[in-house]
Structure formats: C-alpha cells, structure tokens
Amino acid sequence: MDTWQEVSESVEKRLAVASSGERMVFAAGIAERLMSWHEAMPAEERAPFTMSLRPLLNSVWEGVLGDTTAFTAVKCGVAEYMLSDYCHNDGQDGPDDADEHAAAATLYAAHAYLFGCNDFAVWSSRRAVEAIDHHLEYLAEQNEDLAEPDEALLAELQRQLRDLDLIANYSKDLRYSGTGLPIDTSIRLRVELRIPLSSRD
C-alpha cells in the first residue's frame, strides 16, 4: 500500500499536468469541503473571518464553472482581504484568522481562479491534509478514540485523487471555462461537479 506521502506526490503530479480550469475546480472543491466542515461546528467555535468568506467561495464556484461575471466579485473579495489586517507579515504578532484551514483554502481557490497557477491548487491539497492532521491532534487531546493518523491522511488524499478523476471527465468543458461557458453547461456542471466535489463523504 502506498504511503500518504506517496499519494500526495501523485496528487501533485496530476495537478501539474491538468488544465488551469481543472485545477480551479479542484481547489474550489477542497475549499468547499473545509468550509462546510467549519460551518457545521458549534457557533461559538466558528471563526468570524472564515464565515465571512462564504460569499467569496460561492463566487469562486460560479467563476470556475464558467460564469465570467463572477470575476469582479472574486477580484474584489481577494482585494478586500489583501487590504485588511488579516493579510500581514507580522508572523505570530498579527491576526491569524486567515490561517484557519477553510479560510486559507478559500483564498487559495480564489487565487487559483484569478491566476490559474498550479501552486494554489497544490496548496489547497496540502491544506486539506493539514486540516485532517490538526483535527486528529485535537481528538487526541480530548482522549477520544481515533483512526490511525496515516490512514486518515491517506483517505483524504485518495479522495483527492477520486476528485481529480471526476474532474478529468469534464476536461473538455473546463479547458476554456475561464472565457465563459454556455448557461446550460454551467448549470449542468453545478449538478455533476459542484455537488459531488462538495460532499464530505
């Protein structure tokens, strides 16, 4: 059986050869799963900054599935973050709200949509793995029974490979999604891609 590190390398190799459209959808799927997980937490444990990024993530989804009018909303959302106190170089002395997993993944997805760079999709993948690892650490602190860490990380990365397999089936549509897709195609992709990629199972 492959180790989680080997599967992580496989994910990154797949992303390197994928089209920018495929990478954008992949990053949005990761961000959606982490955001949904965060939204399901008790209200007192949710981070206000993370919750404030839900409209940005919704706009990212619209954009990566071919609605070019979403570009302005995503651009403005990223600019608002860049101009805020949450974007800083103060290390641990600055606010760490943007370093929460769902928040970071959403910002990576937004950057992936705006710029199409492979790095942002790779960082999204790694952020999901880190989220699993941190959750396991939390459970250990609560003395709760938990899965073997390596198995949990491997399961997340295998999920990512399955997501990439699904996305690859739509490579023809997604290759030029940045320049816009017909409305009926975008609607179909919401059902056939956004819904399954958003599933936490």
Side-chain angles (χ1 to χ4, degrees):
M1 176 182 287
D2 292 334
T3 66
W4 70 266
Q5 292 93 339
E6 291 171 329
V7 179
S8 180
E9 290 178 7
S10 296
V11 169
E12 294 186 14
K13 287 177 181 177
R14 290 278 300 275
L15 288 169
V17 298
S19 69
S20 61
E22 292 173 80
R23 291 194 294 263
M24 291 187 292
V25 171
F26 174 82
I30 296 263
E32 182 65 46
R33 287 195 288 119
L34 292 178
M35 181 66 79
S36 297
W37 189 6
H38 192 83
E39 290 170 335
M41 295 170 64
E44 64 275 10
E45 296 181 22
R46 298 176 203 152
F49 177 72
T50 300
M51 299 298 289
S52 77
L53 293 177
R54 166 49 80 181
L56 174 60
L57 181 53
N58 288 340
S59 295
V60 169
W61 271 117
E62 292 170 11
V64 302
L65 296 181
D67 181 356
T68 57
T69 65
F71 184 88
T72 298
V74 176
K75 176 182 67 173
C76 290
V78 170
E80 184 177 343
Y81 158 70
M82 296 290 285
L83 294 172
S84 74
D85 292 338
Y86 301 119
C87 181
H88 61 84
N89 62 353
D90 296 326
Q92 295 183 349
D93 293 330
D96 61 359
D97 304 53
D99 196 41
E100 189 280 321
H101 298 301
T106 297
L107 292 168
Y108 289 150
H111 281 80
Y113 167 64
L114 292 177
F115 305 113
C117 300
N118 183 47
D119 285 348
F120 294 114
V122 169
W123 293 337
S124 295
S125 168
R126 292 177 184 173
R127 183 57 75 152
V129 172
E130 289 175 20
I132 296 294
D133 192 42
H134 288 175
H135 183 62
L136 292 174
E137 289 178 5
Y138 169 80
L139 293 178
E141 291 171 0
Q142 306 303 311
N143 295 317
E144 295 189 28
D145 292 332
L146 46 110
E148 286 294 323
D150 284 1
E151 291 180 9
L153 300 180
L154 182 60
E156 166 60 30
L157 288 159
Q158 289 172 334
R159 161 67 192 266
Q160 293 183 21
L161 284 177
R162 292 195 301 273
D163 287 351
L164 286 167
D165 287 340
L166 173 63
I167 293 167
N169 293 330
Y170 297 86
S171 60
K172 185 176 179 180
D173 287 326
L174 296 175
R175 185 166 297 277
Y176 303 108
S177 59
T179 58
L181 295 173
I183 293 175
D184 58 339
T185 302
S186 291
I187 292 172
R188 175 173 57 83
L189 292 178
R190 285 179 205 153
V191 174
E192 298 178 6
L193 276 179
R194 179 172 180 172
I195 292 175
L197 292 174
S198 301
S199 169
R200 292 160 59 191
D201 299 328

